[in-house]
Amino acid sequence: MVQKALHTRLHEGSEEAYDRLHATVPEDLAAALVEAGVRDWRIWRDGRDVFHVVDVDDYNRMRDVLRDHPANIAWQAQVTPLQSTPDDYSGDDDGLPFVWSLTQQLQKPE
């Protein structure tokens, strides 16, 4: 399993709509995420900046599965208009670059 950190940005004034939309995602989308190997997906928002941490078996496979999945297509039709940085799942996105981990540092042999 890998963890990926992602960053998206919302259009000004769409913060409340984004929060409402994510209060409970559709069941078919949740099932599609699990089918694609997602173990957990957590989201934080600071103003218009949205930060995600995804625990997934294989991030690239997840994107391949979700790209054409009907539940994700329907979801993207709702969420994309709120984002100033939409994702069409066509690129080779690999999330935010990893910088540092306390756990990894503490586990290094001296």
Side-chain angles (χ1 to χ4, degrees), residues 21-105:
L21 189 61
H22 284 82
T24 303
V25 302
E27 291 298 323
D28 61 343
L29 177 63
L33 291 169
V34 170
E35 174 187 324
V38 175
R39 309 270 182 109
D40 198 7
W41 192 311
R42 296 169 310 283
I43 299 173
W44 295 263
R45 185 177 60 73
D46 181 22
R48 294 173 46 210
D49 291 298
V50 182
F51 302 93
H52 315 247
V53 174
V54 183
D55 299 330
V56 62
D57 294 331
D58 179 330
Y59 183 72
N60 292 327
R61 179 185 171 279
M62 176 202 77
R63 290 177 59 78
D64 287 343
V65 168
L66 294 177
R67 179 181 304 113
D68 298 317
H69 196 289
N72 188 50
I73 291 170
W75 177 253
Q76 294 304 322
Q78 294 178 69
V79 77
T80 296
L82 305 176
Q83 299 173 325
S84 64
T85 55
D87 183 0
D88 65 2
Y89 287 76
S90 64
D92 59 356
D93 168 70
D94 197 31
L96 295 173
F98 176 76
V99 177
W100 177 80
S101 163
L102 173 63
T103 303
Q104 286 182 358
Q105 180 173 320

